[in-house]
């Protein structure tokens, strides 16, 4: 299998969120893909199988599990596809559109290359607003994050929002820097409200953080949360519909990342984009 190491939502070389991308003629067994993700130990690993011109089946794994959707793997995969399959025109900027068939949805991406920098934009579709926890229940979700009800930004409620992966969004006026996961069972707390992960963000600074549900690792840049965050900020009039949003993440890990968000005026689809840089191209020679 061919593989790449990519960095997504970069500000420059070797910044942003790391990713491993594999291209195969067919998917290995699920258990094998899980072991590969654990071997490479990026926040996510994506496996691609070509199905037609610029159409790929895709499966995404963290070190713990398979995900139905994730943002930075899809953008990183688009840059890899562009490099491997696009007709190159030396010295010129060129774009390609492609489709990725995930477990439960199809995601379209437009990728533009200029030299070794790739600008990739995915259409996550319209956001789904799933649930608003009652204010009297806020402590159940805040205390395990080392946060208090007074940290929540006035006029911005906690809400579960999804563009493929449901997040409990926690809008903050303070506390971003001291937040951390204090429990190992946060996913069980989220399940009754229909969320898979939590994403906290400073409403004024537009900077976010998230972790795996056991609190073992903080994510550098979370594309699957960016669409929900953007939809939330538009809904609650933090930004006007024609304004783009720049979401920052990764500062607390020394990997500053930038995620661009906008909403398609006609369809309401959330468009999430960022810079991708490809660092390593290799071949898996072990039979799997």
């Amino acid at each position: 299998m061919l593989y790449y190491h990519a960095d997504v939502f970069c500000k420059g070389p070797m910044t942003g969120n790391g990713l491993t991308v594999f291209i195969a003629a067919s998917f290995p067994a699920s258990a094998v893909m899980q072991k590969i993700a654990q071997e490479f130990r990026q926040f996510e690993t994506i496996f691609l199988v070509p199905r037609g011109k610029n159409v790929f089946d895709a499966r995404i794994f963290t070190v713990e599990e398979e995900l139905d959707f994730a943002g930075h793997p899809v953008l990183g995969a688009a840059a890899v596809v562009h490099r491997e399959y696009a007709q190159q025109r030396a010295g010129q900027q060129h774009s390609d559109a492609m489709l990725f068939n995930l477990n439960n949805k199809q995601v379209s991406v437009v990728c533009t290359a200029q030299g070794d920098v790739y600008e990739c934009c995915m259409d996550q579709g319209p956001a789904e607003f799933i649930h608003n926890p009652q204010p009297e229940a806020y402590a159940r979700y805040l205390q395990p994050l080392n946060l208090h009800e007074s940290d929540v930004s006035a006029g911005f409620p906690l809400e579960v929002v999804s563009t493929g992966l449901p997040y409990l969004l926690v809008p903050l006026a303070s506390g971003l820097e001291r937040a951390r996961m204090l429990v190992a069972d946060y996913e069980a707390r989220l399940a009754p409200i229909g969320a898979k992960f939590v994403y906290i963000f400073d409403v004024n600074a537009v900077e976010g953080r998230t972790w795996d549900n056991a609190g073992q690792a903080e994510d550098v840049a979370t594309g699957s949360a960016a669409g929900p965050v953007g939809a939330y900020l538009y809904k609650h009039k933090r930004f006007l519909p024609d304004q783009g949003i720049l979401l920052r993440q990764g500062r607390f890990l020394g990997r500053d990342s930038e995620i661009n968000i906008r909403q398609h005026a006609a369809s309401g689809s959330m468009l999430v984009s960022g810079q991708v840089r490809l660092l390593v191209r290799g071949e898996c020679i072990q039979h799997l």
Side-chain angles (χ1 to χ4, degrees), residues 140-247:
R140 172 176 176 77
Y141 308 106
L142 295 171
Q143 289 176 359
L145 300 173
N146 201 37
L147 295 170
H148 311 292
E149 292 176 60
S150 59
D151 291 318
V152 176
S153 186
F156 291 88
L158 274 63
E159 189 161 8
V160 179
V161 187
S162 177
T163 56
L165 196 60
Y167 284 86
L168 172 63
L169 302 183
V170 179
L172 301 176
S174 61
L176 188 70
E177 58 285 329
R178 72 167 181 276
R180 63 184 189 276
M181 187 75 73
L182 300 177
V183 298
D185 65 342
Y186 202 79
E187 188 168 0
R189 298 171 186 251
L190 294 173
I193 59 172
K196 174 67 174 176
F197 296 106
V198 65
Y199 192 89
I200 69 172
F201 60 100
D202 186 302
V203 171
N204 294 315
V206 198
E207 180 180 11
R209 301 179 75 177
T210 189
W211 300 262
D212 70 289
N213 285 320
Q216 297 296 311
E218 181 173 352
D219 198 10
V220 172
T222 313
S224 57
V229 168
Y232 176 97
L233 291 173
Y234 289 127
K235 174 184 175 181
H236 293 283
K237 297 180 171 48
R238 171 64 178 83
F239 290 89
L240 297 174
D242 60 349
Q243 288 182 290
I245 300 171
L246 177 62
L247 176 63

Side-chain angles (χ1 to χ4, degrees), residues 18-262:
L19 170 74
T20 312
V21 182
F22 283 85
I23 304 177
S26 61
F27 289 119
S30 296
V32 171
M33 289 189 284
Q34 186 67 76
K35 287 183 177 180
I36 292 172
Q38 292 167 347
E39 178 75 15
F40 281 81
R41 300 201 66 79
Q42 296 302 308
F43 212 85
E44 281 132 3
T45 296
I46 186 167
F47 297 85
L48 304 177
V49 172
R51 292 302 183 201
K53 180 175 173 55
N54 286 353
V55 178
F56 293 81
D57 290 348
R59 294 178 66 181
I60 301 168
F61 288 78
T62 70
V63 295
E64 294 94 10
E65 62 183 335
E66 183 172 6
L67 297 177
D68 288 337
F69 174 61
H72 100 276
V74 173
L75 290 185
V80 168
V81 167
H82 194 288
R83 188 182 193 278
E84 284 294 316
Y85 295 95
Q87 182 177 357
Q88 303 298 311
R89 294 182 292 278
Q92 296 183 20
Q93 179 173 297
H94 49 289
S95 299
D96 240 357
M98 55 204 75
L99 292 173
F100 295 95
N101 299 315
L102 305 177
N103 286 344
N104 294 320
K105 68 182 294 183
Q106 187 177 71
V107 179
S108 62
V109 182
V110 175
C111 186
T112 302
Q114 180 64 62
D116 60 354
V117 178
Y118 298 81
E119 292 286 346
C120 299
C121 178
M122 82 178 89
D123 183 340
Q124 294 187 354
E128 179 184 5
F129 296 89
I130 297 171
H131 183 74
N132 283 106
Q134 295 300 308
E136 55 266 28
Y138 281 9
R140 172 176 176 77
Y141 308 106
L142 295 171
Q143 289 176 359
L145 300 173
N146 201 37
L147 295 170
H148 311 292
E149 292 176 60
S150 59
D151 291 318
V152 176
S153 186
F156 291 88
L158 274 63
E159 189 161 8
V160 179
V161 187
S162 177
T163 56
L165 196 60
Y167 284 86
L168 172 63
L169 302 183
V170 179
L172 301 176
S174 61
L176 188 70
E177 58 285 329
R178 72 167 181 276
R180 63 184 189 276
M181 187 75 73
L182 300 177
V183 298
D185 65 342
Y186 202 79
E187 188 168 0
R189 298 171 186 251
L190 294 173
I193 59 172
K196 174 67 174 176
F197 296 106
V198 65
Y199 192 89
I200 69 172
F201 60 100
D202 186 302
V203 171
N204 294 315
V206 198
E207 180 180 11
R209 301 179 75 177
T210 189
W211 300 262
D212 70 289
N213 285 320
Q216 297 296 311
E218 181 173 352
D219 198 10
V220 172
T222 313
S224 57
V229 168
Y232 176 97
L233 291 173
Y234 289 127
K235 174 184 175 181
H236 293 283
K237 297 180 171 48
R238 171 64 178 83
F239 290 89
L240 297 174
D242 60 349
Q243 288 182 290
I245 300 171
L246 177 62
L247 176 63
R248 295 180 173 87
Q249 194 176 331
R251 173 167 63 95
F252 300 95
L253 298 168
R255 298 277 294 192
D256 286 356
S257 304
E258 295 183 342
I259 307 173
N260 293 290
I261 310 164
R262 57 190 176 91

